Amino acid sequence: MEQAKIDRINALARKAKTEGLTDAERAEQAALRQEYREGFLRNLRTQLDNTYVMDPESGEKRKLKE
């Protein structure tokens, strides 16, 4: 996610705490948060897919299972 979008999420969060948000801003905030979550989960899944565990007994590497 681009830094500009993260900055916009933070700006909307600050505004929500002080002034409140309009319906359009609430919808924008929800969409941006959803995009952020999807990107976070995609990156986490990629990281876990490339993670191996060492078996202490045999010393072999094996992939993590779901």
Side-chain angles (χ1 to χ4, degrees):
M1 175 175 257
E2 298 137 25
Q3 187 60 42
K5 288 184 178 183
I6 294 172
D7 292 342
R8 181 65 179 154
I9 291 171
N10 292 331
L12 288 170
R14 281 190 298 277
K15 185 176 179 190
K17 288 180 183 178
T18 58
E19 307 168 24
L21 299 175
T22 64
D23 290 337
E25 289 171 330
R26 269 193 290 280
E28 179 187 6
Q29 184 182 41
L32 288 169
R33 285 179 171 176
Q34 182 64 29
E35 183 180 343
Y36 181 84
R37 277 192 296 269
E38 288 170 358
F40 177 85
L41 291 175
R42 190 173 37 254
N43 290 338
L44 179 60
R45 170 61 64 189
T46 300
Q47 185 176 13
L48 290 175
D49 286 344
N50 293 307
T51 300
Y52 292 86
V53 176
M54 290 291 290
D55 186 346
E57 294 178 14
S58 67
E60 294 180 11
K61 290 193 310 186
R62 59 183 166 87
K63 281 188 97 47
L64 284 177
K65 298 179 183 175
E66 285 192 30

